[in-house]
Every structure is written in structure tokens, then in C-alpha cells.
PDB file of all heavy atoms in Angstrom:
ATOM      1  N   ALA A   1      70.180  66.834 100.086  1.00  0.00           N
ATOM      2  CA  ALA A   1      71.237  65.847 100.351  1.00  0.00           C
ATOM      3  C   ALA A   1      71.873  66.116 101.715  1.00  0.00           C
ATOM      4  O   ALA A   1      72.011  67.275 102.129  1.00  0.00           O
ATOM      5  CB  ALA A   1      72.296  65.911  99.256  1.00  0.00           C
ATOM      6  N   PRO A   2      72.272  65.062 102.425  1.00  0.00           N
ATOM      7  CA  PRO A   2      72.865  65.216 103.764  1.00  0.00           C
ATOM      8  C   PRO A   2      74.300  65.721 103.712  1.00  0.00           C
ATOM      9  O   PRO A   2      75.255  64.981 103.964  1.00  0.00           O
ATOM     10  CB  PRO A   2      72.781  63.797 104.341  1.00  0.00           C
ATOM     11  CG  PRO A   2      72.857  62.905 103.134  1.00  0.00           C
ATOM     12  CD  PRO A   2      72.138  63.641 102.040  1.00  0.00           C
ATOM     13  N   VAL A   3      74.459  66.983 103.372  1.00  0.00           N
ATOM     14  CA  VAL A   3      75.776  67.624 103.310  1.00  0.00           C
ATOM     15  C   VAL A   3      75.737  68.878 104.166  1.00  0.00           C
ATOM     16  O   VAL A   3      74.795  69.679 104.059  1.00  0.00           O
ATOM     17  CB  VAL A   3      76.156  67.985 101.855  1.00  0.00           C
ATOM     18  CG1 VAL A   3      77.466  68.782 101.825  1.00  0.00           C
ATOM     19  CG2 VAL A   3      76.275  66.731 101.001  1.00  0.00           C
ATOM     20  N   ASN A   4      76.741  69.055 104.999  1.00  0.00           N
ATOM     21  CA  ASN A   4      76.828  70.217 105.876  1.00  0.00           C
ATOM     22  C   ASN A   4      77.230  71.425 105.027  1.00  0.00           C
ATOM     23  O   ASN A   4      78.412  71.746 104.885  1.00  0.00           O
ATOM     24  CB  ASN A   4      77.840  69.965 106.992  1.00  0.00           C
ATOM     25  CG  ASN A   4      77.839  71.067 108.044  1.00  0.00           C
ATOM     26  OD1 ASN A   4      77.407  72.190 107.785  1.00  0.00           O
ATOM     27  ND2 ASN A   4      78.315  70.747 109.229  1.00  0.00           N
ATOM     28  N   ILE A   5      76.231  72.105 104.481  1.00  0.00           N
ATOM     29  CA  ILE A   5      76.481  73.215 103.571  1.00  0.00           C
ATOM     30  C   ILE A   5      77.090  74.412 104.304  1.00  0.00           C
ATOM     31  O   ILE A   5      77.895  75.156 103.736  1.00  0.00           O
ATOM     32  CB  ILE A   5      75.183  73.610 102.854  1.00  0.00           C
ATOM     33  CG1 ILE A   5      74.732  72.464 101.944  1.00  0.00           C
ATOM     34  CG2 ILE A   5      75.360  74.880 102.032  1.00  0.00           C
ATOM     35  CD1 ILE A   5      73.417  72.700 101.260  1.00  0.00           C
ATOM     36  N   ALA A   6      76.719  74.595 105.559  1.00  0.00           N
ATOM     37  CA  ALA A   6      77.285  75.717 106.335  1.00  0.00           C
ATOM     38  C   ALA A   6      78.795  75.541 106.479  1.00  0.00           C
ATOM     39  O   ALA A   6      79.574  76.496 106.292  1.00  0.00           O
ATOM     40  CB  ALA A   6      76.620  75.786 107.705  1.00  0.00           C
ATOM     41  N   GLU A   7      79.238  74.329 106.795  1.00  0.00           N
ATOM     42  CA  GLU A   7      80.679  74.077 106.920  1.00  0.00           C
ATOM     43  C   GLU A   7      81.368  74.220 105.573  1.00  0.00           C
ATOM     44  O   GLU A   7      82.462  74.794 105.488  1.00  0.00           O
ATOM     45  CB  GLU A   7      80.914  72.667 107.478  1.00  0.00           C
ATOM     46  CG  GLU A   7      82.399  72.352 107.666  1.00  0.00           C
ATOM     47  CD  GLU A   7      82.646  70.907 108.041  1.00  0.00           C
ATOM     48  OE1 GLU A   7      81.993  70.015 107.454  1.00  0.00           O
ATOM     49  OE2 GLU A   7      83.509  70.655 108.909  1.00  0.00           O
ATOM     50  N   LEU A   8      80.747  73.713 104.530  1.00  0.00           N
ATOM     51  CA  LEU A   8      81.327  73.827 103.190  1.00  0.00           C
ATOM     52  C   LEU A   8      81.506  75.290 102.804  1.00  0.00           C
ATOM     53  O   LEU A   8      82.550  75.681 102.269  1.00  0.00           O
ATOM     54  CB  LEU A   8      80.423  73.103 102.183  1.00  0.00           C
ATOM     55  CG  LEU A   8      80.806  73.199 100.706  1.00  0.00           C
ATOM     56  CD1 LEU A   8      82.234  72.740 100.469  1.00  0.00           C
ATOM     57  CD2 LEU A   8      79.825  72.393  99.854  1.00  0.00           C
ATOM     58  N   THR A   9      80.504  76.103 103.090  1.00  0.00           N
ATOM     59  CA  THR A   9      80.593  77.537 102.792  1.00  0.00           C
ATOM     60  C   THR A   9      81.742  78.171 103.564  1.00  0.00           C
ATOM     61  O   THR A   9      82.511  78.981 103.016  1.00  0.00           O
ATOM     62  CB  THR A   9      79.273  78.237 103.136  1.00  0.00           C
ATOM     63  OG1 THR A   9      78.197  77.594 102.459  1.00  0.00           O
ATOM     64  CG2 THR A   9      79.312  79.699 102.722  1.00  0.00           C
ATOM     65  N   ASP A  10      81.872  77.822 104.826  1.00  0.00           N
ATOM     66  CA  ASP A  10      82.971  78.360 105.645  1.00  0.00           C
ATOM     67  C   ASP A  10      84.333  78.002 105.061  1.00  0.00           C
ATOM     68  O   ASP A  10      85.245  78.841 105.020  1.00  0.00           O
ATOM     69  CB  ASP A  10      82.867  77.828 107.074  1.00  0.00           C
ATOM     70  CG  ASP A  10      81.799  78.539 107.890  1.00  0.00           C
ATOM     71  OD1 ASP A  10      81.497  79.711 107.591  1.00  0.00           O
ATOM     72  OD2 ASP A  10      81.255  77.920 108.827  1.00  0.00           O
ATOM     73  N   LEU A  11      84.490  76.756 104.621  1.00  0.00           N
ATOM     74  CA  LEU A  11      85.776  76.324 104.064  1.00  0.00           C
ATOM     75  C   LEU A  11      86.118  77.091 102.793  1.00  0.00           C
ATOM     76  O   LEU A  11      87.276  77.473 102.579  1.00  0.00           O
ATOM     77  CB  LEU A  11      85.746  74.818 103.776  1.00  0.00           C
ATOM     78  CG  LEU A  11      85.695  73.884 104.999  1.00  0.00           C
ATOM     79  CD1 LEU A  11      85.615  72.428 104.553  1.00  0.00           C
ATOM     80  CD2 LEU A  11      86.914  74.092 105.894  1.00  0.00           C
ATOM     81  N   LEU A  12      85.119  77.338 101.957  1.00  0.00           N
ATOM     82  CA  LEU A  12      85.367  78.085 100.719  1.00  0.00           C
ATOM     83  C   LEU A  12      85.767  79.529 101.018  1.00  0.00           C
ATOM     84  O   LEU A  12      86.604  80.108 100.314  1.00  0.00           O
ATOM     85  CB  LEU A  12      84.119  78.055  99.834  1.00  0.00           C
ATOM     86  CG  LEU A  12      83.685  76.680  99.311  1.00  0.00           C
ATOM     87  CD1 LEU A  12      82.391  76.798  98.508  1.00  0.00           C
ATOM     88  CD2 LEU A  12      84.777  76.036  98.466  1.00  0.00           C
ATOM     89  N   ILE A  13      85.198  80.097 102.058  1.00  0.00           N
ATOM     90  CA  ILE A  13      85.533  81.476 102.432  1.00  0.00           C
ATOM     91  C   ILE A  13      86.926  81.544 103.049  1.00  0.00           C
ATOM     92  O   ILE A  13      87.689  82.489 102.797  1.00  0.00           O
ATOM     93  CB  ILE A  13      84.475  82.031 103.406  1.00  0.00           C
ATOM     94  CG1 ILE A  13      83.139  82.238 102.675  1.00  0.00           C
ATOM     95  CG2 ILE A  13      84.934  83.354 104.027  1.00  0.00           C
ATOM     96  CD1 ILE A  13      81.992  82.647 103.572  1.00  0.00           C
ATOM     97  N   GLN A  14      87.292  80.541 103.842  1.00  0.00           N
ATOM     98  CA  GLN A  14      88.603  80.527 104.494  1.00  0.00           C
ATOM     99  C   GLN A  14      89.743  80.512 103.481  1.00  0.00           C
ATOM    100  O   GLN A  14      90.776  81.150 103.693  1.00  0.00           O
ATOM    101  CB  GLN A  14      88.710  79.305 105.412  1.00  0.00           C
ATOM    102  CG  GLN A  14      87.845  79.390 106.666  1.00  0.00           C
ATOM    103  CD  GLN A  14      87.815  78.078 107.433  1.00  0.00           C
ATOM    104  OE1 GLN A  14      88.656  77.190 107.217  1.00  0.00           O
ATOM    105  NE2 GLN A  14      86.843  77.933 108.318  1.00  0.00           N
ATOM    106  N   GLN A  15      89.573  79.791 102.381  1.00  0.00           N
ATOM    107  CA  GLN A  15      90.636  79.703 101.369  1.00  0.00           C
ATOM    108  C   GLN A  15      90.391  80.751 100.289  1.00  0.00           C
ATOM    109  O   GLN A  15      90.257  80.441  99.112  1.00  0.00           O
ATOM    110  CB  GLN A  15      90.677  78.291 100.773  1.00  0.00           C
ATOM    111  CG  GLN A  15      89.336  77.853 100.190  1.00  0.00           C
ATOM    112  CD  GLN A  15      89.408  76.494  99.523  1.00  0.00           C
ATOM    113  OE1 GLN A  15      90.084  75.591  99.992  1.00  0.00           O
ATOM    114  NE2 GLN A  15      88.712  76.347  98.401  1.00  0.00           N
ATOM    115  N   ASN A  16      90.365  82.017 100.692  1.00  0.00           N
ATOM    116  CA  ASN A  16      89.966  83.078  99.759  1.00  0.00           C
ATOM    117  C   ASN A  16      91.038  83.422  98.726  1.00  0.00           C
ATOM    118  O   ASN A  16      90.849  84.346  97.930  1.00  0.00           O
ATOM    119  CB  ASN A  16      89.532  84.331 100.516  1.00  0.00           C
ATOM    120  CG  ASN A  16      90.629  84.882 101.407  1.00  0.00           C
ATOM    121  OD1 ASN A  16      91.742  84.373 101.409  1.00  0.00           O
ATOM    122  ND2 ASN A  16      90.304  85.902 102.174  1.00  0.00           N
ATOM    123  N   HIS A  17      92.162  82.700  98.738  1.00  0.00           N
ATOM    124  CA  HIS A  17      93.125  82.884  97.647  1.00  0.00           C
ATOM    125  C   HIS A  17      92.681  82.101  96.407  1.00  0.00           C
ATOM    126  O   HIS A  17      93.278  82.228  95.334  1.00  0.00           O
ATOM    127  CB  HIS A  17      94.521  82.421  98.078  1.00  0.00           C
ATOM    128  CG  HIS A  17      94.625  80.948  98.360  1.00  0.00           C
ATOM    129  ND1 HIS A  17      94.041  80.362  99.462  1.00  0.00           N
ATOM    130  CD2 HIS A  17      95.224  79.935  97.673  1.00  0.00           C
ATOM    131  CE1 HIS A  17      94.280  79.060  99.454  1.00  0.00           C
ATOM    132  NE2 HIS A  17      94.995  78.789  98.374  1.00  0.00           N
ATOM    133  N   ILE A  18      91.617  81.314  96.584  1.00  0.00           N
ATOM    134  CA  ILE A  18      91.054  80.537  95.481  1.00  0.00           C
ATOM    135  C   ILE A  18      89.583  80.907  95.325  1.00  0.00           C
ATOM    136  O   ILE A  18      88.834  80.948  96.294  1.00  0.00           O
ATOM    137  CB  ILE A  18      91.158  79.015  95.769  1.00  0.00           C
ATOM    138  CG1 ILE A  18      92.608  78.567  95.829  1.00  0.00           C
ATOM    139  CG2 ILE A  18      90.390  78.213  94.718  1.00  0.00           C
ATOM    140  CD1 ILE A  18      93.334  78.638  94.504  1.00  0.00           C
ATOM    141  N   GLY A  19      89.164  81.174  94.100  1.00  0.00           N
ATOM    142  CA  GLY A  19      87.750  81.368  93.835  1.00  0.00           C
ATOM    143  C   GLY A  19      87.326  82.822  93.707  1.00  0.00           C
ATOM    144  O   GLY A  19      88.001  83.747  94.167  1.00  0.00           O
ATOM    145  N   SER A  20      86.169  83.016  93.097  1.00  0.00           N
ATOM    146  CA  SER A  20      85.618  84.350  92.859  1.00  0.00           C
ATOM    147  C   SER A  20      84.104  84.314  92.985  1.00  0.00           C
ATOM    148  O   SER A  20      83.473  83.257  92.827  1.00  0.00           O
ATOM    149  CB  SER A  20      85.969  84.842  91.446  1.00  0.00           C
ATOM    150  OG  SER A  20      87.353  84.768  91.188  1.00  0.00           O
ATOM    151  N   VAL A  21      83.538  85.480  93.264  1.00  0.00           N
ATOM    152  CA  VAL A  21      82.091  85.656  93.204  1.00  0.00           C
ATOM    153  C   VAL A  21      81.797  86.714  92.148  1.00  0.00           C
ATOM    154  O   VAL A  21      82.636  87.578  91.874  1.00  0.00           O
ATOM    155  CB  VAL A  21      81.494  86.098  94.563  1.00  0.00           C
ATOM    156  CG1 VAL A  21      81.635  85.007  95.600  1.00  0.00           C
ATOM    157  CG2 VAL A  21      82.133  87.386  95.053  1.00  0.00           C
ATOM    158  N   ILE A  22      80.628  86.637  91.546  1.00  0.00           N
ATOM    159  CA  ILE A  22      80.244  87.660  90.567  1.00  0.00           C
ATOM    160  C   ILE A  22      79.094  88.471  91.134  1.00  0.00           C
ATOM    161  O   ILE A  22      78.149  87.937  91.715  1.00  0.00           O
ATOM    162  CB  ILE A  22      79.867  87.060  89.196  1.00  0.00           C
ATOM    163  CG1 ILE A  22      78.816  85.951  89.335  1.00  0.00           C
ATOM    164  CG2 ILE A  22      81.085  86.550  88.481  1.00  0.00           C
ATOM    165  CD1 ILE A  22      78.334  85.421  88.012  1.00  0.00           C
ATOM    166  N   LYS A  23      79.228  89.785  90.980  1.00  0.00           N
ATOM    167  CA  LYS A  23      78.226  90.727  91.467  1.00  0.00           C
ATOM    168  C   LYS A  23      77.915  91.731  90.379  1.00  0.00           C
ATOM    169  O   LYS A  23      78.710  91.951  89.463  1.00  0.00           O
ATOM    170  CB  LYS A  23      78.733  91.460  92.718  1.00  0.00           C
ATOM    171  CG  LYS A  23      79.099  90.541  93.879  1.00  0.00           C
ATOM    172  CD  LYS A  23      79.588  91.332  95.086  1.00  0.00           C
ATOM    173  CE  LYS A  23      79.998  90.417  96.223  1.00  0.00           C
ATOM    174  NZ  LYS A  23      80.455  91.178  97.419  1.00  0.00           N
ATOM    175  N   GLN A  24      76.764  92.353  90.507  1.00  0.00           N
ATOM    176  CA  GLN A  24      76.392  93.413  89.578  1.00  0.00           C
ATOM    177  C   GLN A  24      77.201  94.656  89.915  1.00  0.00           C
ATOM    178  O   GLN A  24      77.327  95.041  91.068  1.00  0.00           O
ATOM    179  CB  GLN A  24      74.897  93.696  89.673  1.00  0.00           C
ATOM    180  CG  GLN A  24      74.393  94.714  88.675  1.00  0.00           C
ATOM    181  CD  GLN A  24      72.886  94.877  88.715  1.00  0.00           C
ATOM    182  OE1 GLN A  24      72.186  94.004  89.206  1.00  0.00           O
ATOM    183  NE2 GLN A  24      72.396  95.989  88.215  1.00  0.00           N
ATOM    184  N   THR A  25      77.755  95.287  88.894  1.00  0.00           N
ATOM    185  CA  THR A  25      78.590  96.464  89.127  1.00  0.00           C
ATOM    186  C   THR A  25      77.759  97.735  89.118  1.00  0.00           C
ATOM    187  O   THR A  25      76.720  97.821  88.459  1.00  0.00           O
ATOM    188  CB  THR A  25      79.677  96.587  88.048  1.00  0.00           C
ATOM    189  OG1 THR A  25      79.045  96.677  86.769  1.00  0.00           O
ATOM    190  CG2 THR A  25      80.590  95.391  88.073  1.00  0.00           C
ATOM    191  N   ASP A  26      78.253  98.719  89.848  1.00  0.00           N
ATOM    192  CA  ASP A  26      77.670 100.064  89.848  1.00  0.00           C
ATOM    193  C   ASP A  26      76.163 100.052  90.066  1.00  0.00           C
ATOM    194  O   ASP A  26      75.385 100.562  89.258  1.00  0.00           O
ATOM    195  CB  ASP A  26      77.970 100.784  88.522  1.00  0.00           C
ATOM    196  CG  ASP A  26      79.457 100.925  88.277  1.00  0.00           C
ATOM    197  OD1 ASP A  26      80.194 101.067  89.267  1.00  0.00           O
ATOM    198  OD2 ASP A  26      79.873 100.878  87.106  1.00  0.00           O
ATOM    199  N   VAL A  27      75.752  99.442  91.172  1.00  0.00           N
ATOM    200  CA  VAL A  27      74.334  99.456  91.522  1.00  0.00           C
ATOM    201  C   VAL A  27      73.989 100.836  92.050  1.00  0.00           C
ATOM    202  O   VAL A  27      74.492 101.264  93.090  1.00  0.00           O
ATOM    203  CB  VAL A  27      74.011  98.384  92.591  1.00  0.00           C
ATOM    204  CG1 VAL A  27      72.531  98.448  92.968  1.00  0.00           C
ATOM    205  CG2 VAL A  27      74.361  97.007  92.060  1.00  0.00           C
ATOM    206  N   SER A  28      73.158 101.567  91.332  1.00  0.00           N
ATOM    207  CA  SER A  28      72.818 102.939  91.709  1.00  0.00           C
ATOM    208  C   SER A  28      71.868 102.954  92.898  1.00  0.00           C
ATOM    209  O   SER A  28      70.973 102.123  93.018  1.00  0.00           O
ATOM    210  CB  SER A  28      72.166 103.666  90.528  1.00  0.00           C
ATOM    211  OG  SER A  28      71.666 104.918  90.922  1.00  0.00           O
ATOM    212  N   GLU A  29      72.089 103.911  93.787  1.00  0.00           N
ATOM    213  CA  GLU A  29      71.183 104.068  94.928  1.00  0.00           C
ATOM    214  C   GLU A  29      69.791 104.479  94.475  1.00  0.00           C
ATOM    215  O   GLU A  29      68.801 104.261  95.169  1.00  0.00           O
ATOM    216  CB  GLU A  29      71.739 105.116  95.903  1.00  0.00           C
ATOM    217  CG  GLU A  29      73.043 104.692  96.560  1.00  0.00           C
ATOM    218  CD  GLU A  29      73.548 105.744  97.531  1.00  0.00           C
ATOM    219  OE1 GLU A  29      72.884 106.800  97.637  1.00  0.00           O
ATOM    220  OE2 GLU A  29      74.589 105.513  98.179  1.00  0.00           O
ATOM    221  N   ASP A  30      69.713 105.099  93.283  1.00  0.00           N
ATOM    222  CA  ASP A  30      68.427 105.559  92.763  1.00  0.00           C
ATOM    223  C   ASP A  30      67.763 104.525  91.862  1.00  0.00           C
ATOM    224  O   ASP A  30      66.741 104.786  91.249  1.00  0.00           O
ATOM    225  CB  ASP A  30      68.614 106.859  91.965  1.00  0.00           C
ATOM    226  CG  ASP A  30      69.182 107.976  92.823  1.00  0.00           C
ATOM    227  OD1 ASP A  30      68.869 107.993  94.032  1.00  0.00           O
ATOM    228  OD2 ASP A  30      69.924 108.816  92.286  1.00  0.00           O
ATOM    229  N   SER A  31      68.380 103.336  91.779  1.00  0.00           N
ATOM    230  CA  SER A  31      67.840 102.309  90.894  1.00  0.00           C
ATOM    231  C   SER A  31      66.447 101.884  91.323  1.00  0.00           C
ATOM    232  O   SER A  31      66.144 101.764  92.502  1.00  0.00           O
ATOM    233  CB  SER A  31      68.775 101.087  90.884  1.00  0.00           C
ATOM    234  OG  SER A  31      68.206 100.037  90.144  1.00  0.00           O
ATOM    235  N   ASP A  32      65.588 101.667  90.307  1.00  0.00           N
ATOM    236  CA  ASP A  32      64.234 101.204  90.594  1.00  0.00           C
ATOM    237  C   ASP A  32      64.228  99.755  91.054  1.00  0.00           C
ATOM    238  O   ASP A  32      63.317  99.303  91.729  1.00  0.00           O
ATOM    239  CB  ASP A  32      63.342 101.336  89.341  1.00  0.00           C
ATOM    240  CG  ASP A  32      63.107 102.792  88.979  1.00  0.00           C
ATOM    241  OD1 ASP A  32      63.187 103.636  89.890  1.00  0.00           O
ATOM    242  OD2 ASP A  32      62.846 103.072  87.797  1.00  0.00           O
ATOM    243  N   ASP A  33      65.256  98.995  90.656  1.00  0.00           N
ATOM    244  CA  ASP A  33      65.321  97.583  91.024  1.00  0.00           C
ATOM    245  C   ASP A  33      65.821  97.441  92.445  1.00  0.00           C
ATOM    246  O   ASP A  33      66.741  98.131  92.879  1.00  0.00           O
ATOM    247  CB  ASP A  33      66.257  96.823  90.078  1.00  0.00           C
ATOM    248  CG  ASP A  33      65.724  96.833  88.657  1.00  0.00           C
ATOM    249  OD1 ASP A  33      64.486  96.827  88.508  1.00  0.00           O
ATOM    250  OD2 ASP A  33      66.540  96.851  87.719  1.00  0.00           O
ATOM    251  N   ASP A  34      65.216  96.519  93.159  1.00  0.00           N
ATOM    252  CA  ASP A  34      65.612  96.260  94.545  1.00  0.00           C
ATOM    253  C   ASP A  34      66.799  95.307  94.546  1.00  0.00           C
ATOM    254  O   ASP A  34      66.660  94.099  94.748  1.00  0.00           O
ATOM    255  CB  ASP A  34      64.427  95.664  95.307  1.00  0.00           C
ATOM    256  CG  ASP A  34      64.737  95.494  96.796  1.00  0.00           C
ATOM    257  OD1 ASP A  34      65.704  96.118  97.258  1.00  0.00           O
ATOM    258  OD2 ASP A  34      64.009  94.735  97.467  1.00  0.00           O
ATOM    259  N   VAL A  35      67.998  95.847  94.276  1.00  0.00           N
ATOM    260  CA  VAL A  35      69.202  95.043  94.142  1.00  0.00           C
ATOM    261  C   VAL A  35      70.184  95.401  95.247  1.00  0.00           C
ATOM    262  O   VAL A  35      70.546  96.560  95.419  1.00  0.00           O
ATOM    263  CB  VAL A  35      69.874  95.258  92.759  1.00  0.00           C
ATOM    264  CG1 VAL A  35      71.144  94.429  92.655  1.00  0.00           C
ATOM    265  CG2 VAL A  35      68.905  94.889  91.641  1.00  0.00           C
ATOM    266  N   ASP A  36      70.618  94.404  95.982  1.00  0.00           N
ATOM    267  CA  ASP A  36      71.626  94.582  97.015  1.00  0.00           C
ATOM    268  C   ASP A  36      72.996  94.575  96.347  1.00  0.00           C
ATOM    269  O   ASP A  36      73.323  93.663  95.584  1.00  0.00           O
ATOM    270  CB  ASP A  36      71.507  93.436  98.026  1.00  0.00           C
ATOM    271  CG  ASP A  36      72.508  93.557  99.168  1.00  0.00           C
ATOM    272  OD1 ASP A  36      73.346  94.487  99.137  1.00  0.00           O
ATOM    273  OD2 ASP A  36      72.458  92.720 100.081  1.00  0.00           O
ATOM    274  N   GLU A  37      73.798  95.602  96.605  1.00  0.00           N
ATOM    275  CA  GLU A  37      75.104  95.691  95.951  1.00  0.00           C
ATOM    276  C   GLU A  37      76.016  94.541  96.332  1.00  0.00           C
ATOM    277  O   GLU A  37      76.981  94.241  95.621  1.00  0.00           O
ATOM    278  CB  GLU A  37      75.779  97.026  96.279  1.00  0.00           C
ATOM    279  CG  GLU A  37      76.075  97.226  97.751  1.00  0.00           C
ATOM    280  CD  GLU A  37      76.733  98.557  98.021  1.00  0.00           C
ATOM    281  OE1 GLU A  37      76.843  99.372  97.074  1.00  0.00           O
ATOM    282  OE2 GLU A  37      77.141  98.789  99.162  1.00  0.00           O
ATOM    283  N   ASP A  38      75.742  93.858  97.452  1.00  0.00           N
ATOM    284  CA  ASP A  38      76.548  92.715  97.865  1.00  0.00           C
ATOM    285  C   ASP A  38      75.955  91.387  97.424  1.00  0.00           C
ATOM    286  O   ASP A  38      76.506  90.325  97.709  1.00  0.00           O
ATOM    287  CB  ASP A  38      76.709  92.700  99.400  1.00  0.00           C
ATOM    288  CG  ASP A  38      77.657  93.790  99.882  1.00  0.00           C
ATOM    289  OD1 ASP A  38      78.608  94.103  99.146  1.00  0.00           O
ATOM    290  OD2 ASP A  38      77.433  94.328 100.975  1.00  0.00           O
TER     291      ASP A  38
END
């Protein structure tokens, strides 16, 4: 769809008093899975 997703992403980040992201907790450095902690 013709939507400027880069600008939309920027706007969501700018208003960081609203919204959340979910991440995996306690990603071990020795983990066999290739998981980025971020």
C-alpha cells in the first residue's frame, strides 16, 4: 500500500510516552538460538 512507513515509524518513536514493544527476556549469550536481544 502507498503509505510512508518510514515516516509512520518515526512518528511512533517520537511519541514514546505512548506504546510498548515486546522483547524476549534474558537472552543468554550462550543460547543456541540466534536471537538478538533487541
Side-chain angles (χ1 to χ4, degrees):
V3 174
N4 188 338
I5 294 176
E7 181 188 42
L8 175 55
T9 305
D10 282 333
L11 291 178
L12 296 177
I13 291 174
Q14 289 171 16
Q15 56 176 38
N16 59 4
H17 65 289
I18 295 292
S20 307
V21 294
I22 52 175
K23 301 180 182 181
Q24 184 175 340
T25 59
D26 300 327
V27 178
S28 172
E29 295 181 358
D30 299 328
S31 174
D32 293 334
D33 296 327
D34 185 17
V35 179
D36 181 356
E37 62 180 6
D38 287 327

